[in-house]
Amino acid sequence: MGPSLEQFFDSLCAPPRSLLLVNRSQPEPLVRILERTFEGQPVNVSERDLPDADSDVVVLVEESESEADPRVIATSPLSSLEETILLVNSDLYKTGTAGFSDGSLPAVLTGLEEVPFVVRSYPESNKEKLLLIAMSRFIERRAYRQGAGRLRTSFQRLSRIEDERGTRKVYRTLDDSEVQTHVYGIPDWRPSTDSALIAHGGYTEAFRKSWFVVYTPSDSSDSNAESNEWVAGEAEAPHAALVGIETESERWRGFWTFRPSLVREIDAFIARNL
């Protein structure tokens, strides 16, 4: 077996994190959906009633052995999770119904960076893989908004770029931008001669079982980002990467990160090995 992106799971450094649903007024079935979305993941979901706090707010907290109280990483309205994860399915992204240029993700989701997830695809689960799909679009959108830099994305089969309407719209948009966009997968499709997409095809396991979306900004953005210390749970730096490995049929192990040094390592690994 050749080099694998799996090695980067050993680089993760996320302490335990939990999601708290504060002062819920929404129906209980919504809580069950939230719990099922993270069922079996290293993220605990619980409810809390707190005085002087808003209703229907989700709080991401980080637990530490050295601190008595957990640290608040991010907060988001429950409604924002409903719109992006809880009350939608993956078709929202595959068909292009979800907006690309103006969409976003709740801070409590981006704040789950470097948490290793194990997710199942339909029909075993309607929700689990949606976390990785939504984060993929988030990173693609970030690249588009930056308007420069390099994006590397794998599809297992390159034909998915054309076959999935939402994916086709996203990559046509990126194709018209100044972002240098590399796409990877089994070479059952190739970009048109007037496309700026750079296609990399292969049949090895790295092409067939990898799922990655990796954005590294241009040199000017890169140097600016390095002037600030990276803090886990803060997704403001331009660097972003999602890495997934298919461990068995329709089961994936994945994570995302905004740590500049780790994103650059992942980018360099892909450039060398795929």
Side-chain angles (χ1 to χ4, degrees), residues 93-232:
Y93 297 93
K94 291 180 180 179
T95 63
T97 306
F100 177 59
S101 61
D102 58 352
S104 61
L105 279 183
V108 294
L109 293 184
T110 58
L112 290 170
E113 63 170 310
E114 304 207 10
V115 173
F117 288 93
V118 177
V119 300
R120 299 167 296 169
S121 299
Y122 179 84
E124 289 190 69
S125 172
N126 288 325
K127 290 294 180 187
E128 293 178 8
K129 193 177 176 183
L130 185 57
L131 285 169
L132 302 188
I133 294 172
M135 184 53 61
S136 296
R137 284 289 182 264
F138 178 85
I139 297 173
E140 292 161 345
R141 188 184 305 119
R142 170 166 293 185
Y144 174 71
R145 286 179 171 176
Q146 291 290 318
R150 180 173 55 250
L151 181 71
R152 300 187 190 274
T153 309
S154 66
F155 297 90
Q156 295 81 63
R157 293 179 294 102
L158 286 173
S159 58
R160 285 179 52 204
I161 299 173
E162 190 66 22
D163 293 344
E164 295 177 358
R165 185 171 63 185
T167 302
R168 182 169 66 246
K169 288 170 63 176
V170 167
Y171 280 83
R172 284 182 178 175
T173 302
L174 286 165
D175 202 358
D176 291 334
S177 74
E178 295 301 315
V179 179
Q180 184 188 84
T181 303
H182 298 251
V183 294
Y184 298 76
I186 293 173
D188 56 352
W189 173 86
R190 65 175 57 192
S192 62
T193 55
D194 60 348
S195 171
L197 296 179
I198 303 169
H200 306 260
Y203 296 92
T204 64
E205 190 170 271
F207 283 94
R208 293 183 290 107
K209 296 190 175 183
S210 296
W211 176 357
F212 55 79
V213 185
V214 182
Y215 175 66
T216 50
S218 61
D219 291 341
S220 58
S221 298
D222 194 36
S223 60
N224 291 336
E226 285 304 294
S227 65
N228 300 314
E229 183 180 359
W230 172 80
V231 178

Side-chain angles (χ1 to χ4, degrees), residues 26-37:
Q26 293 296 312
E28 188 168 333
L30 197 59
V31 183
R32 304 288 83 81
I33 296 174
L34 179 62
E35 291 173 341
R36 286 198 301 271
T37 300

Side-chain angles (χ1 to χ4, degrees), residues 43-74:
V43 179
N44 183 55
V45 177
S46 61
E47 288 192 67
R48 190 77 56 86
D49 289 325
L50 298 176
D52 303 320
D54 293 335
S55 298
D56 297 318
V57 172
V58 180
V59 181
L60 175 65
V61 298
E62 184 177 280
E63 301 164 14
S64 172
E65 294 181 357
S66 61
E67 298 180 13
D69 297 320
R71 181 169 73 96
V72 173
I73 301 295

